[in-house]
Amino acid sequence: MLITDKNIIQKYYQALLAKDPAYVGIFFVGVKTTSIFCISTCRARKPKFENTVFYQSVKEALNAGYRPCKICRPTENADEAPEQIIKAIKMISQNPKIKISDSVLREHHISPEIVRRWFKKNYGITYQTYQRMYRINLAYQELKSGKKITDTAFDHGYESLSGFGYTYKKFVKNAPSNHAENNIILINRLSTPIGPMFICATQQGICLLEFVDRRMLETEFQQLQKLLNGTIIFGVNNHIQQARAEIEQYFQGKRKNFTVALHTSGTPFQQSVWACLQTIPFGELYTYKQQAEKLNHPDAVRAVANANGLNRIAIIIPCHRVIGSNGQLTGYSGGLERKQWLINHEKSHQHL
């Protein structure tokens, strides 16, 4: 939302003048005279106070008609994790079975307060919760491979089976002994030039890719867990790693088709609509009517549009390539500004 509190605006303007990195991603400043928006560390010449407006998100700045600054590239850099966060996450991946406390972070010259604030803002959970989820995912994989519950529990630093069982059940919603019935949906976060996204994957493939500011995203997570009979916890697998690499290549203009495995869940009709979306060539646009005709359901334009709207895997299943019969952009979960950006991006790289 547009920030209107005069004290906060004054504080943010001073942070902009000081190029304070602590405010990267906290606010986005729109410059009225140039119609661009920036992050706090921008190196460009600073605007006068009366020519600035402040927003809380990239989407809000875009919706207000501001363009990303080419110097500070706010849509890319605002979501980049600071060096201390990268080190803290790396400590977990390198020592997944060791609890990393605040005192351990301080020993490595990492501020627990900065880590806590960043995780709450970007993941909605604490660093400690992220650790526990990471460890439970690893434990789940070990149980699936045949490792004994007792060995798994103590190898992961739990002092008792009951403690391990309680934590495991809290996240997986089932006891460790029922691991064969448990389905884990891993979730992670990635940066893109048009804002951060959440990515989810099962052992079968990618099941969700959505912008973090999508409306009703929590409801979508709940529906996904119900459809796949699984529990979402933070983690990473090969599908997420492959998708990260392919999405980065896509935004660099180096990839036109995706090969990462997908795990879509829907009715046969919805599945056919999503499969049809994947046949639309890079850089080209279909209308909903053309899509319905291609599916041999020429009278099902509205049903096709509804199925497009239920697509949970943005960009990879390219619902942004479908427009209204009048040539106008229509609904897109990430916002029409992002839809237009994606269309322009593909047009500019279509013949490379």
Side-chain angles (χ1 to χ4, degrees):
M1 58 184 289
L2 176 67
I3 297 168
T4 57
D5 187 300
K6 292 182 179 179
N7 292 328
I8 294 177
I9 291 173
Q10 192 63 244
K11 179 172 68 174
Y12 286 176
Y13 184 70
Q14 292 304 316
L16 177 68
L17 295 180
K19 301 178 186 176
D20 191 340
Y23 287 85
V24 170
I26 301 299
F27 68 76
F28 297 87
V29 56
V31 183
K32 298 176 185 178
T33 52
T34 59
S35 294
I36 65 168
F37 71 96
C38 308
I39 52 177
S40 64
T41 53
C42 187
R43 294 178 288 102
R45 183 178 177 180
K46 301 305 176 187
K48 294 181 179 180
F49 177 77
E50 59 267 25
N51 293 328
T52 60
V53 286
F54 293 86
Y55 299 93
Q56 291 183 331
S57 74
V58 165
K59 188 176 182 180
E60 291 159 1
L62 287 169
N63 288 344
Y66 289 94
R67 305 184 309 275
C69 172
K70 292 183 179 180
I71 296 175
C72 65
R73 296 178 298 168
T75 53
E76 299 173 57
N77 295 328
D79 189 51
E80 286 297 317
E83 184 179 353
Q84 289 192 54
I85 305 300
I86 293 173
K87 288 173 64 177
I89 293 175
K90 192 173 182 179
M91 287 174 68
I92 294 175
S93 61
Q94 291 180 339
N95 308 279
K97 298 182 180 181
I98 299 175
K99 183 179 179 180
I100 300 169
S101 63
D102 285 359
S103 60
V104 172
L105 289 175
R106 290 191 182 96
E107 288 174 7
H108 288 80
H109 307 291
I110 299 172
S111 166
E113 292 74 25
I114 290 176
V115 171
R116 188 178 305 116
R117 186 168 62 242
W118 190 90
F119 267 85
K120 287 295 288 184
K121 180 180 186 298
N122 290 277
Y123 283 164
I125 59 174
T126 65
Y127 178 67
Q128 284 71 26
T129 299
Y130 181 88
Q131 282 189 74
R132 287 193 289 270
M133 286 184 170
Y134 197 97
R135 291 164 67 194
I136 288 299
N137 174 48
L138 185 58
Y140 168 80
Q141 301 298 337
E142 291 180 355
L143 292 173
K144 281 281 191 181
S145 67
K147 191 170 182 177
K148 293 181 179 179
I149 295 175
T150 304
D151 294 339
T152 300
F154 291 118
D155 282 354
H156 282 264
Y158 289 91
E159 297 179 355
S160 67
L161 283 175
S162 60
F164 172 67
Y166 173 81
T167 305
Y168 188 96
K169 191 171 184 178
K170 179 180 178 181
F171 291 117
V172 183
K173 313 301 181 188
N174 214 335
S177 57
N178 296 328
H179 62 81
E181 303 172 11
N182 299 335
N183 292 314
I184 294 293
I185 304 169
L186 297 179
I187 185 172
N188 220 293
R189 186 181 173 100
L190 58 93
S191 301
T192 80
I194 49 176
M197 303 183 78
F198 279 128
I199 183 168
C200 292
T202 63
Q203 291 181 317
Q204 293 175 243
I206 301 300
C207 57
L208 180 140
L209 179 63
E210 294 279 20
F211 291 98
V212 301
D213 54 15
R214 172 176 179 161
R215 290 179 64 250
M216 305 293 288
L217 188 57
E218 287 190 13
T219 300
E220 190 169 11
F221 287 150
Q222 294 170 2
Q223 293 171 343
L224 183 66
Q225 290 178 108
K226 186 175 181 179
L227 283 168
L228 300 182
N229 189 30
T231 302
I232 294 177
I233 66 173
F234 279 91
V236 66
N237 62 12
N238 291 337
H239 299 306
I240 290 177
Q241 290 176 332
Q242 181 181 347
R244 279 181 179 277
E246 292 189 1
I247 290 165
E248 183 177 356
Q249 292 164 359
Y250 167 85
F251 279 109
Q252 291 173 345
K254 299 177 181 178
R255 174 175 289 275
K256 297 180 179 180
N257 300 295
F258 294 92
T259 61
V260 65
L262 303 180
H263 185 184
T264 56
S265 181
T267 66
F269 179 75
Q270 289 168 346
Q271 297 279 8
S272 68
V273 170
W274 300 334
C276 181
L277 285 171
Q278 294 176 78
T279 67
I280 303 176
F282 180 96
E284 296 187 17
L285 300 176
Y286 274 32
T287 64
Y288 293 106
K289 183 177 180 180
Q290 288 175 315
Q291 190 182 2
E293 290 172 346
K294 188 171 183 179
L295 288 163
N296 296 318
H297 292 288
D299 298 325
V301 175
R302 180 167 294 183
V304 166
N306 288 338
N308 281 1
L310 293 173
N311 170 35
R312 300 179 190 86
I313 308 176
I315 300 175
I316 296 177
I317 298 181
C319 52
H320 61 274
R321 294 176 191 164
V322 184
I323 59 176
S325 297
N326 59 0
Q328 297 296 310
L329 300 189
T330 54
Y332 186 65
S333 63
L336 294 184
E337 295 77 15
R338 286 189 175 121
K339 185 170 185 172
Q340 186 64 66
W341 192 100
L342 291 167
I343 290 171
N344 294 342
H345 169 73
E346 293 188 3
K347 290 287 187 184
S348 65
H349 293 89
Q350 189 174 14
H351 302 296
L352 296 181

